[in-house]
Amino acid sequence: MNAATPTASKDAALADDIRLLGRLLGEVIREHEGEDAFALIESIRQLSVASRKLDDEAAHRRLTTLLESLTDEQSVRVARAFSFFSQLANIAEDCHHTRRHRLHRHEGSTPLPASLGGLTAELKSRGLEGHDAAQLMSGVQVSPVLTAHPTEVQRKSILDCQLTIADLLARLSGEHGSNLLPEEREARLTGLRRAITTLWHTRMLRDVKLGVKDEIENALAYFHYTFLRVLPTLQCALEDMLGSPEPLPPVVRMGSWVGGDRDGNPFVTAEMLDHALKRQGEIIFDHYFAEVHALGADLPLSQMLRGGSPALLALAERSPDRSPHREDEPYRRALTGVFARLVATAGTLGLAREHRRALGDADAYGSASEFLADLDVIDASLREHGLALLAEGRLRELRHAVRAFGFQLATLDLRQNSDVHEAVIAELLRVAGVVEDYGALDEAARARLLLNELTSPRLLRSPYCEYSQVTEGELAIFHRAAQAVRMLGPDAIRQAIISKAASVSDLLELAVLLKEAGLVTPGAAPTSRLQIVPLFETIDDLRRAPATMRAWFALPAAMSLVKSLGGAQEIMLGYSDSNKDGGYVTANWELYKAETELVNVFREAGVRLRFFHGRGGTVGRGGGPSFEAILAQPAGAVQGELRLTEQGEVIASKYANAEIGRRNLEALVAATARATLSTHEPRNAPRYAEVMEALSSAAFARYRALVYETPGFVEFFRAITPIREIAELNIGSRPASRKASQRIEDLRAIPWVFSWAQCRIMLPGWYGFGGAVAAWRDAQPDGLALLQEMWAKWRFFQAMLANMDMLLAKTDLAVAARYAELATGQTDAAAIFARIAEERVRTVEALFAITGSDTLLASNPALARSIRNRFPYLDPLNHLQIALIKRHRAGDTAERVKRGIHISINGLAAGLRNSG
């Protein structure tokens, strides 16, 4: 493509930015590591570019030989250089996307569908304007839930450096870059050079393994980066676009698992839950302190010049501020009183409040709604006295912040595995003398017994008995949760999630445990303060989910619990374990089927359904573009409310930058509203379902045959991927496996997917589809037209294939073949790798036949270009990783060898972005 084409022209600025950042990184390396180090890295870069872009086999051999000959010290230096270049390329791409987005806005282009502007245009086209549009959006609420997962490999120090570089690059090459004076441009270039120097001298890896407290701080950083500012401004923008005269309920409410998710993580204790809640409180109170203080400076309005409402004057009169200098400034005095009450509230909640002193004593707020009521008094007074313009600024955003964040900042979920709940219940029942062996009871007997306990006011736990550490720990969590709900309100902790839920007794066990802490009130019609959320994860669990929920709703006690929570029941769907269990095609289809059937079950029961999607970063764990994923849900599956996890390195790519974060949140809101309005499946949906059932059955058989039935596959996987080395990384507090075993079943889905991404196979995101399509077409010789129709008319099929397309584009079997050489001494390794390679060929052929494309990512040229440009800089990391793994596994225990491996893992994760 020549430079005159529009695509080349619009991407020229991106190429310039990448060259600039690469040049500055090279200058830093030359200055601080020496000319020899720079020359070595540059030689590797040139050989990699020649090998990849020019398909130069000689260059490829020289590159491999050179990388294998590096000393340990050189290996670490080279790994750092290419890892940092991948990070700088990410920054340049993000900057370019923002620049293009703003340019489109300036030029008055049609708003993108995944934006608030696109949403309001869509509502208008449907005849929904004014009150009707506001009424629809008042029922829309999206909850991104931040999780602590070990593919978030970046240290906060590194992330902060990256944000500095991004800001400087935007100011250098953004809208006003062309108007910079020569000395201003030079100053910003110097700033970039300084920031990259800092990045180069900042340790990339953690010296010690992350603890839960570290994970809490990492998650909270994104509130500073994005959420505290963006959620209120997004809410204001939505109301303005809709022309709503009254504030709408928050369309985005944040959630978190960090400090409450103890499934397989013994380090999440009651103390950690308490710490997470306190840190969340400190973050939001610090924000409120700063905003109320700033509001006081914004509103030095004199009563002599502009009066105040009686309610405002009364609020001012209750303030401890008695300074004669502010006697005629009722707004300032009122805000001083609000500040004093916030300080008192923080003290009541036991929150640290450095440098925040009130002018006098005041009563603590009983709830965030009381704080909001005081702000509403100030707002109403300003509007009554012709000062609505002043009410529309900081005050309006603060009021929306209080609605969105309350005193808790984010709703903190509890999560535990059903096996743990069962063990705790069994011990409580045994020690209480109710039943000696609860585990020996069948499902019906368990349900009867648990229902009896749910209606009884008697507690099972006795202060006079001793219990195991597990039981004491679980009960302590629930008691701390009950305390948080009493102190902070119902939004502090709203969900208790049951991993691996498979039966009604799993839900009843949690209900009884909640009763022990006072979170469920017993009786013939029990009530609950927490939503009991079953998480259906495996293929079998998904298939049983509709029957499980139908049986749950058939219990009067269960329906009483549901009604006590507003008539809604939340269901969580697990994308990670279903994929590891059944493969990409079957996991997608079983999730879709389960949702469809659950919609009918809930409709029959008269219960409002809220889905919680446990989506990971990569396609193999439910990842991919959120906008398309939400619209691909079956009709009726999105009923205004939607929760979804944000995991791994995707959190940083989506929410470290406020402007990018705003666009991602707008996409979630726009998709949820659109999906709520979508009530019809395609006309030919029953036939499409028959085809998907056949494809799923064939893909499932192929996937299971490879992963679970092929002798030597486990050894092959552990040999050719860096799974052992990933387990050693200090990137998460959670163990890599649920149990101390080598079985795939016990391995967590996150390291499973992450490992395949590192060796560039991406198997969990595509394996089985090609063979399934080939088998179906053999049985249906004229079936291609139907598959093409499904691609054209069915959003589910479109999203599934589009995500697979992306992962196939990131797959590189030439690189993967080098990893296969790590399976030394395994006679069946070559045959297993050949099966994988053959299936990729079949899958690409099937994809092209259905979509009509002849290249991967033909419909997404920007992403195709991004991947194509990255590969020459990822290849050295892969080859270096292989060389170092060989040394390490051969017995070289040098610290630099280990560090080089871990840096390469970090760099590849950054370069591939949604890899875990």
Side-chain angles (χ1 to χ4, degrees), residues 3 5 47 49 84 92 105 243 253 444 459 478 490 626 668 673 678 681 689 707 723 748 764 878 885:
T5 63
L47 286 171
V49 169
F84 280 135
R105 295 283 302 277
R253 299 286 294 268
L459 296 179
F478 291 124
S626 298
L668 293 178
S678 177
E681 292 287 3
V707 174
I723 179 63
R748 290 192 168 278
N878 281 117
I885 286 175

Side-chain angles (χ1 to χ4, degrees), residues 57 73 115-116 127 161-162 190 215 220 235 274 284 296 315 321 327 333 339 364 543 551 553 615 622 633 654 835:
E57 182 59 34
E73 185 173 350
S115 68
L116 292 187
C161 282
Q162 293 172 351
T190 300
E215 292 174 332
L220 291 177
Q235 187 78 21
D274 185 62
I284 192 57
L315 190 61
D321 187 355
E327 189 172 349
R333 289 174 57 212
F339 190 96
R543 289 171 176 169
F553 292 143
R615 304 176 76 234
Q633 303 302 303
K654 283 186 176 181
R835 284 173 64 183

Side-chain angles (χ1 to χ4, degrees), residues 111 161 192 237 248 260 329 411 413 431 450 458 568 613 629 659 678 767 805-806 822 834 866 873-874:
C161 282
L192 266 177
L248 296 176
E329 296 177 349
T411 296
D413 291 2
V431 174
L450 294 168
R458 170 182 57 82
H613 297 274
E659 191 162 352
S678 177
Y767 192 88
D805 190 9
M806 177 179 67
L822 293 171
S866 172
Y873 300 95
L874 296 180

Side-chain angles (χ1 to χ4, degrees), residues 573-584:
L573 301 173
Y575 289 69
S576 303
D577 284 287
S578 56
N579 182 289
K580 183 164 68 74
D581 186 28
Y584 177 67

Side-chain angles (χ1 to χ4, degrees), residues 477-491:
I477 287 270
F478 291 124
H479 281 288
R480 180 61 190 95
Q483 182 184 1
V485 171
R486 287 194 298 270
M487 293 180 68
L488 296 169
D491 289 331

